[in-house]
Amino acid sequence: MKDCFKIEKIVADIYLVTEPYFRGHANLFLLTGLPFDLLVDAGLGLCDLKKFLTSRGFRPKVVITHGHFDHIGGLSHFTDEDVLVSPLTAANIVEKRLWGLNFLKPEYFDSQHTREVIGKSPPEVCADFAIRLPKMTPSEISEISIGERLLRIISLPGHTDDSIVLHDEKNRMLVTGDMLYDGGIYADFPNSDKTAFKRSLNHLRTLDFEYVLPGHNEILSRAQAMRVIDRWHSWLC
Ligand SMILES: [Zn+2]
Ligand SMILES: [Zn+2]
């Protein structure tokens, strides 16, 4: 029986959790700390992510980078006290038309792996996909402290209106969600804004960081991130 999640240690206090049966999977980063561990994004939610993490000794709270299905689905398995969410994201999450479901396609799943871990075929998974949201109390979070790390939340709209990045200035690290990753740019959702996206990319350039933990694909050095910013900027023009 294959596992629903894969977890790998990136550095001493950062883990990457993925759902490898979905080829378009998001990167879920778990930053360990005190008094809780911070999970950035929640994945598809087809298996119980909270149980997976707590059974390994983690104490996760979840912060959501934006309200797309591949980042919010796993909220189903968390409770209100576990979730840190802005008022805008909380409002978007309850609007199914903003989940980006046109990118939930059977061909993005590994058929055999999906059957093994979910017990359904990819078309069945897509047809049955639902997100059961916990009752959520949104808050105007501007920073999150987990002991050694202080993460400042920066609103950078474009991909969606509620997109945020988390900046750990001391450790010169950025967690970007879909605001930046090495891959194709998506700026055609009902709540996308290309002009805002360009502004947000320019803002990213001004931040002090050494590396990026992105919402999809590989971790980026600053130089690699700058190349993606240039490429995306030119695609938006
Ligand atoms: Zn997205
Ligand atoms: Zn995504």
Side-chain angles (χ1 to χ4, degrees):
M1 175 81 180
K2 284 188 177 171
D3 282 325
C4 205
F5 301 102
K6 183 173 151 196
I7 183 162
E8 50 192 306
K9 195 181 239 191
I10 305 297
V11 293
D13 63 340
I14 303 180
Y15 294 80
L16 170 61
V17 181
T18 51
E19 297 162 308
Y21 57 90
F22 182 56
R23 293 196 185 106
H25 68 72
N27 292 330
L28 319 178
F29 290 101
L30 181 70
L31 316 179
T32 62
L34 286 170
F36 55 85
D37 305 317
L38 185 67
L39 177 68
V40 183
D41 287 335
L44 293 169
L46 301 176
C47 303
D48 190 334
L49 178 57
K50 184 176 179 183
K51 193 167 153 198
F52 175 83
L53 294 173
T54 52
S55 69
R56 281 161 179 76
F58 297 112
R59 294 162 302 166
K61 277 191 193 249
V62 193
V63 62
I64 297 294
T65 61
H66 66 297
H68 279 160
F69 74 95
D70 48 333
H71 301 258
I72 59 172
L75 287 177
S76 306
H77 303 290
F78 291 86
T79 58
D80 184 30
E81 309 83 74
D82 301 326
V83 180
L84 299 163
V85 66
S86 71
L88 186 50
T89 293
N92 285 355
I93 283 176
V94 295
E95 282 221 49
K96 195 172 177 182
R97 69 179 185 96
L98 300 180
W99 291 355
L101 287 176
N102 41 333
F103 291 97
L104 183 70
K105 294 180 178 171
E107 59 266 34
Y108 290 176
F109 288 83
D110 176 319
S111 225
Q112 197 189 338
H113 195 169
T114 303
R115 277 183 188 281
E116 282 179 49
V117 297
I118 315 291
K120 291 180 190 171
S121 69
E124 286 169 326
V125 168
C126 292
D128 296 348
F129 187 79
I131 298 174
R132 280 161 295 276
L133 296 167
K135 179 180 96 49
M136 284 187 300
T137 309
S139 59
E140 293 286 357
I141 30 172
S142 57
E143 53 185 42
I144 303 171
S145 169
I146 50 167
E148 291 298 301
R149 289 185 186 274
L150 178 69
L151 297 134
R152 197 158 60 88
I153 310 250
I154 307 171
S155 163
L156 289 179
H159 174 70
T160 57
D161 56 355
D162 63 332
S163 292
I164 59 156
V165 303
L166 294 96
H167 188 204
D168 176 348
E169 257 179 301
K170 192 176 91 181
N171 297 292
R172 305 185 69 210
M173 178 192 84
L174 263 183
V175 192
T176 54
D178 288 359
M179 171 59 223
L180 195 77
Y181 57 82
D182 192 1
I185 189 169
Y186 294 95
D188 291 307
F189 297 102
N191 57 345
S192 296
D193 180 333
K194 290 182 176 145
T195 306
F197 212 147
K198 280 191 268 184
R199 248 194 332 264
S200 293
L201 288 169
N202 285 336
H203 189 114
L204 271 191
R205 289 183 215 272
T206 68
L207 298 175
D208 184 21
F209 63 89
E210 198 61 61
Y211 62 104
V212 170
L213 306 181
H216 295 269
N217 304 332
E218 302 301 316
I219 292 172
L220 304 172
S221 66
R222 183 179 180 88
Q224 288 169 323
M226 288 301 167
R227 283 197 286 276
V228 178
I229 291 172
D230 288 342
R231 198 168 75 231
W232 281 20
H233 208 279
S234 67
W235 283 345
L236 285 166
C237 289

